[in-house]
Amino acid sequence: MAGMFIDVQVDDAVAQDRDLSKKLVDVCAVDIFAQSEDGALQIVDKNLDECVLCDLCIQAAPDGKVRVIKLYES
Amino acid sequence: MSILIRKDTPFIVQGITGREAVNLTRENLDYGAKIIGGVTPGRAGRDIYGVPVFDCVRDVVEKVGQPEGSVISVPPKFTVDAMIEALENDIKLIVVVTENIPRGEVAQAVELANLRGARIIGPNCLGIISPDEAKMGGVGGPAANTRQAYTKGPIGIMSRSGGMTTEIASTLTAAGMGQSTCVSIGGDAIVGTSYAELMPLFEADPETKAIAIYSEPGGRMEAELAEWVKEHNSRLPIVAFMAGRFMDEMKGMRFGHAGTIVEGKEDTTAEKIDRMEAAGISVAERIEEIPALLKKRLEEKGN
Amino acid sequence: MRFYEYESKALFAKHSLPMGERAVVKTKEEARAAAEKIGGPVVVKSQVLSGGRMKAGAVQFADTPDEAAEKFEHVLPIVVNGEKARSILIESKSKLVQEYFVSVTWDGRRKLPVLLFSDMGGIDIEEVAESHPEHLSRTHFSTFLPLTPRLAKEAVGKTGVTGNDLNRLTPIVFELAKLFLEYDLTLAEINPIGKLENGRFIVLDGHVDMEAEARGKHAGLLKELGIGDDETRQARPPTPFELEGARLNAVDHRGVAGNVVEFDGDLGLIIGAGGGSLTLFDAVRNHGGKPANYCEIGGNPSVGKVCNLTKLILSKPGVQKIAVMMNVVSNTRVDMVARGVIKGCIEAGKDPGEVITIFRIPGSWEEEGFKILAKHGVEFCDRSVSMYEAAGRAVAKLKAS
Ligand code: SF4
């Protein structure tokens, strides 16, 4: 579920990639990414609105695979 | 000209790897500051936006050179130690950003600073800015925001509130009045440098033509300023904005900064306004009146 | 943070300052038993934080245990400056031949502690300072040079005290100066120190204020004295609304959305930062507005924190609308505050465009913030609208509704 202001979308290929998932968990300062026990990526819904728009997650993944959407712009 | 800092003032950041310190390091560098090193114990060898990190101030002095200033942004528990470390390494200008430091510890560092011929600004302050030259500390925020609010010119600002330093500068800038140097002196009951202690510096700075200050209830700083102005027959017109007038009726309640509390009559805004006006300081009721009052006072002086 | 008299005395006792026998009591029976045990005449004193208890009749004397019980019942219900007694202190009453005053506090100008001593204790010290300045000495001392008794000797001696009196007063005064530094106090006062007929001195009443910032450092002492973390010890005890504000502010460490103080108006305020809040609160009152609360946000609080604060303020009975205002911000982000207040309104079941009278926070990330506000139909303004003007708009809008 999206937040009230921010949604973060991740391509399935990225979500299955453990190393990349770990990187995303590391770069996000407001804990929007988490890994389940098998290493798959999860989006922590309750933290979405805390996103500081730092783009670090976007830069960490191949182009266009992670998207941070400002819901107030649509 | 400006006071306290110039474009090429070499300084360091103590606690440089902390969240707030990383931020202010980037902001200061973007604004053109010359940060020659940073200190966080145990983190030697790293770098923050190209600034080399060392374990202690002594290592910066030995490996890079003697800094003139230091911005201290470390947790409250370690602040007094950081201040002493800077002083004992011959740093002469120390800006302490950290808040919630007991005043006994501040007093200790100030006493030592006096012995060492050094100056402490803060604690609980946002630092110093000489527009278009450099800034030391978080004042003004990101460089782009800082440029929007602060412009070069003839007005010096001193403020017990960091945020209001920028609000006043922004109001002056909008009215076409730039600033020479703006100092957020800190909101605690004991700070390293008071209004009156900065006055001789502004007085000696040919660029500064007038002063704007932000003041609030609590403490004797306004009374001290009023006395200084009278005793030294200052050439600088001063306009003060007084916040927290509602507190006069609320004895013993602490609002805002740690130093903001009305205990005795001398702490009230009414008493402070009287004292300042008696010394020839104009007191503005609203921030937006400051530019016009300054203009009027400058015209009276023939400027 | 002020200590009650009985707490001050417990601290003094730890440092062997001479005092009369005493007990803290909460019931009539305890009062009688305490007086019985102490023996002889006693003083029955209400334990309140504010001054003026003598004038309010909340200090009484009793010659017998029965009388002490009676006086207990008399003193207990007395409200001093709006403050009810926390407990009653029963203390032996001594016959005095003279009273002295000693106090240690900070001199913000000299940035040093200053020791005040007078051989005219028991009366208002400001009065002594004015009419008998030679009976009041002021002695500054270092915070890091070794603290030795000569400081006290000089302070006492300067008022003309000499002989045995000087030698007996010096250690008491010295101990107080030591306590002051050791516990990060902002005030340590004994008024009066009494001289007994046998030439000895005892502490009769004491005031101690500890710096709020140093509470953590002295957690052990506070625990020993029974001072709880939730006791703010301001001029009045915190209201449940204020305590909830403090709790919400403590849930995460990112920024501040707290220092909530309750007022009885109808306009909720989400304002900041330290200086900005004082300025804005004045401005709202100047325009004839009635604030429902004071608060401070700053240090870039999380969206969740601002959201919770918004909900808290909206939940306060009588709050119709809120105003969200700050000075030009540097490190607090406009967009994060915008998200927080809008989220708070919506979670409270209100339309942000309706309840938020005005949003005036210019500064970092304002473009992003203004987009969010526009999307939710909230009226906002940039730095071209002064803080004073923004407050006026908020008040006018509330009045018009
Ligand atoms: S933009 Fe930054 S804060 Fe937002 S999800 Fe990505 S890493 Fe986290």
Side-chain angles (χ1 to χ4, degrees), chain A residues 21-35:
Chain A
S21 297
K22 181 166 186 310
K23 214 163 139 197
L24 291 174
V25 173
D26 282 347
V27 296
C28 182
V30 292
D31 302 332
I32 285 174
F33 303 100
Q35 270 178 301

Side-chain angles (χ1 to χ4, degrees), chain B residues 175-215:
Chain B
M177 300 180 101
Q179 307 89 43
S180 54
T181 300
C182 311
V183 190
S184 155
I185 63 168
D188 286 356
I190 293 189
V191 291
T193 307
S194 64
Y195 300 139
E197 288 164 326
L198 282 174
M199 281 306 288
L201 281 73
F202 278 120
E203 194 79 16
D205 172 35
E207 195 195 340
T208 303
K209 302 273 190 283
I211 303 282
I213 69 169
Y214 163 88
S215 64

Side-chain angles (χ1 to χ4, degrees), chain A residues 8 27-28 30 32-33 51-57 68:
Chain A
V8 174
V27 296
C28 182
V30 292
I32 285 174
F33 303 100
C51 169
V52 292
L53 306 174
C54 65
D55 288 353
L56 290 175
C57 55
V68 175

Side-chain angles (χ1 to χ4, degrees), chain C residues 222-244:
Chain C
L222 297 181
K223 201 170 159 211
E224 210 176 297
L225 296 178
I227 300 175
D229 288 341
D230 56 343
E231 294 189 55
T232 56
R233 298 285 176 93
Q234 289 239 24
R236 61 168 172 75
T239 67
F241 177 77
E242 290 165 356
L243 287 173
E244 182 61 9

Side-chain angles (χ1 to χ4, degrees), chain B residues 19-20 27 100-105 107-112 115 126 138-142 145 148-149 161 163-164 166-167 170 189-194 197 214 216-217 220 223-224 227 241-247 249-258 260-261 263 285-288, chain C residues 106-113 141-145 181 184-186 209 211-214 217 233-236 242 253-256 259 261 263 273-279 281-282 285-286 294 296 299-300 326-331 360 362-367 383 385-389:
Chain B
R19 189 174 76 122
E20 294 305 313
E27 294 170 2
N100 298 325
I101 311 172
R103 54 193 99 169
E105 296 181 1
Q108 270 185 348
V110 171
E111 242 187 292
L112 184 61
L115 286 178
L126 287 186
V139 60
N145 291 87
Q148 198 184 352
S161 154
M164 294 302 285
T166 302
E167 181 76 25
S170 172
I190 293 189
V191 291
T193 307
S194 64
E197 288 164 326
Y214 163 88
E216 56 189 23
R220 305 284 176 272
E224 190 192 356
E227 274 168 37
F241 168 75
M242 178 62 74
R245 297 177 193 235
F246 72 95
M247 285 179 60
E249 303 146 35
M250 309 198 63
K251 220 176 148 222
M253 293 285 285
R254 180 165 141 181
F255 291 88
H257 304 114
T260 314
I261 183 167
E263 270 156 350
E285 191 128 345
R286 313 174 201 164
I287 302 284
E288 58 264 46
Chain C
W106 284 103
D107 178 348
R109 276 169 87 149
R110 295 274 299 273
K111 296 153 198 172
L112 289 173
F141 57 101
S142 166
T143 52
F144 68 74
L145 293 177
L181 287 184
D184 289 283
L185 304 183
T186 54
D209 269 328
E211 176 128 40
E213 277 70 18
K217 209 163 136 184
R233 298 285 176 93
Q234 289 239 24
R236 61 168 172 75
E242 290 165 356
H253 65 277
R254 276 180 289 160
V256 177
N259 295 353
V261 182
F263 287 82
S277 289
L278 297 182
T279 305
F281 198 90
D282 274 347
R285 296 220 316 180
N286 242 309
Y294 173 91
E296 284 165 20
N300 202 17
M326 283 180 83
N327 50 248
V328 178
V329 290
S330 304
N331 67 338
R360 192 270 186 194
S364 83
W365 291 75
E366 64 180 22
E367 305 82 9
R383 69 187 67 192
V385 174
S386 72
M387 296 164 87
Y388 189 81
E389 232 179 298

Side-chain angles (χ1 to χ4, degrees), chain A residues 7-66:
Chain A
D7 193 18
V8 174
Q9 296 173 353
V10 176
D11 280 8
D12 277 351
V14 172
Q16 301 309 326
D17 181 335
R18 287 179 192 204
D19 292 342
L20 188 50
S21 297
K22 181 166 186 310
K23 214 163 139 197
L24 291 174
V25 173
D26 282 347
V27 296
C28 182
V30 292
D31 302 332
I32 285 174
F33 303 100
Q35 270 178 301
S36 59
E37 267 162 35
D38 63 356
L41 187 71
Q42 291 173 332
I43 303 283
V44 183
D45 292 341
K46 72 171 174 46
N47 289 344
L48 278 168
D49 284 329
E50 300 287 352
C51 169
V52 292
L53 306 174
C54 65
D55 288 353
L56 290 175
C57 55
I58 299 174
Q59 287 161 18
D63 266 3
K65 301 292 181 202
V66 172

